[in-house]
Amino acid sequence: MKHIVPALRRNLSRSAGRESPMVGQKRPADESRQPSLAISVASYNVHRCVGTDGVFDPDRVLNVVLELDADIVALQEADQRFGSRKGLLNLKALHEKGGYRSVLDEGSRRLSHGWHGNVILYRSGHVTGVTKMKLPGFEPRGAVLVDFDFSGVPLRIVGAHLGLLASSRARQAEAIIAAAHPVDDRAMILLGDTNEWRVGGRSALWPFDPHLHDVDMAIASFPSRFPLWPLDRVLSNRHVTVYEMYAVETALSRVASDHLPVKAVIGVTPGVAEPAALGEGRPAGA
């Protein structure tokens, strides 16, 4: 409970208007190296577009995504859970209003937008490879692995939604590292709902270490009306500096989903290898 009490105190202070939202950072491995790429990324579990008021409203979620104004956005639960798993957001409107495109031509079903509900949207950069990966565990889960090229700077993004069981989360973290850890040591960021509230050695995300690291403090994002738990994470390797990461809490985001979106401003340092095929030399799943 000792990691929960500070979060509870912070939220009580914020509700009383005495404290600003928490902002985390991640220092570069080599502070002498200047970033050659600066972009913003975000992760948002849209809860199948059902808000905290119980209302199904995809337009409300779309507006939250537009409010984020991030260059890359990883969404979770963006499809219906059962049946045809139809995509729930208007991708055409997202492109027209925000310039966003999806990295997937099709998801896990003909009508779906995502792979196990995971959608990665982008509005800049060039996609050089996409892999849809099944994750082990008790529940059906998946991850989307994407290689981007930003004017010669390679960046690997992983969008994932991990399981409810700690044992599943640990196995899923191991699978993601085995499949997605760059063979050419390029910059890599994982965005998603980890379903893990613990930090440090007690966390089921320990297999990510030493490859991917969190920011210097847990950013509470769930539940959206009174965030206590740092479920939504931005993890990155040594080539990525997180200048700031925070939960985006607005009147709209507090009601549109049971999760708040998290956003990070990042810098990618130079010196990584030339782009290689996604998953080259590693198992990439199916």
Side-chain angles (χ1 to χ4, degrees):
M1 290 291 291
K2 63 182 180 181
H3 65 286
I4 301 174
V5 172
L8 179 59
R9 288 173 178 165
R10 287 197 300 268
N11 279 279
L12 289 173
S13 297
R14 286 173 54 207
S15 66
R18 294 193 300 270
E19 187 174 320
S20 59
M22 301 301 293
V23 177
Q25 296 177 322
K26 174 173 171 276
R27 298 297 181 186
D30 182 357
E31 296 197 26
S32 67
R33 299 171 68 190
Q34 295 298 314
S36 56
L37 171 67
I39 61 172
S40 56
V41 298
S43 179
Y44 187 25
N45 184 329
V46 302
H47 194 51
R48 295 180 295 281
C49 297
V50 177
T52 55
D53 54 2
V55 175
F56 172 71
D57 192 342
D59 289 337
R60 187 165 56 184
V61 169
L62 184 147
N63 286 325
V64 173
V65 173
L66 295 176
E67 276 187 346
L68 292 174
D69 193 32
D71 297 299
I72 296 175
V73 183
L75 304 177
Q76 303 88 47
E77 298 191 20
D79 295 334
Q80 290 177 345
R81 188 171 184 179
F82 302 110
S84 66
R85 299 187 183 178
K86 181 181 178 181
L88 301 174
L89 294 177
N90 187 334
L91 295 183
K92 181 179 179 181
L94 276 169
H95 180 66
E96 291 174 347
K97 296 180 179 181
Y100 288 107
R101 292 169 286 174
S102 171
V103 302
L104 296 176
D105 293 328
E106 62 179 46
S108 53
R109 296 288 191 277
R110 183 175 61 86
L111 298 177
S112 67
H113 293 156
W115 176 249
H116 291 276
N118 294 288
V119 174
I120 296 181
L121 304 171
Y122 71 105
R123 62 183 186 186
S124 60
H126 175 65
V127 175
T128 60
V130 179
T131 293
K132 296 181 288 188
M133 179 184 175
K134 292 181 180 178
L135 295 179
F138 178 73
E139 316 152 79
R141 297 283 178 171
V144 179
L145 286 53
V146 188
D147 271 334
F148 288 95
D149 180 84
F150 288 87
S151 300
V153 179
L155 174 64
R156 179 162 294 174
I157 297 288
V158 180
H161 188 187
L162 303 188
L164 297 175
L165 300 180
S167 58
S168 293
R169 293 195 291 275
R171 291 174 59 199
Q172 290 159 1
E174 291 174 344
I176 288 172
I177 286 298
H181 186 61
V183 296
D184 57 2
D185 200 29
R186 74 181 59 188
M188 175 177 165
I189 303 172
L190 183 142
L191 306 168
D193 178 1
T194 66
N195 268 315
E196 179 60 72
W197 58 94
R198 295 166 296 188
V199 295
R202 297 177 64 246
S203 170
L205 304 183
W206 64 266
F208 285 129
D209 188 58
H211 309 289
L212 299 175
H213 300 277
D214 226 330
V215 295
D216 59 3
M217 64 176 67
I219 304 298
S221 58
F222 178 87
S224 57
R225 285 191 180 276
F226 194 79
L228 278 176
W229 312 97
L231 303 188
D232 304 277
R233 306 285 184 92
V234 175
L235 304 174
S236 56
N237 69 1
R238 64 192 181 92
H239 298 299
V240 177
T241 300
V242 179
Y243 296 113
E244 60 178 6
M245 173 184 166
Y246 52 93
V248 179
E249 189 170 0
T250 66
L252 193 60
S253 67
R254 282 194 294 270
V255 69
S257 169
D258 60 346
H259 287 247
L260 291 176
V262 294
K263 180 178 179 179
V265 179
I266 64 124
V268 177
T269 55
V272 295
E274 290 300 314
L278 180 64
E280 181 179 56
R282 300 266 181 174

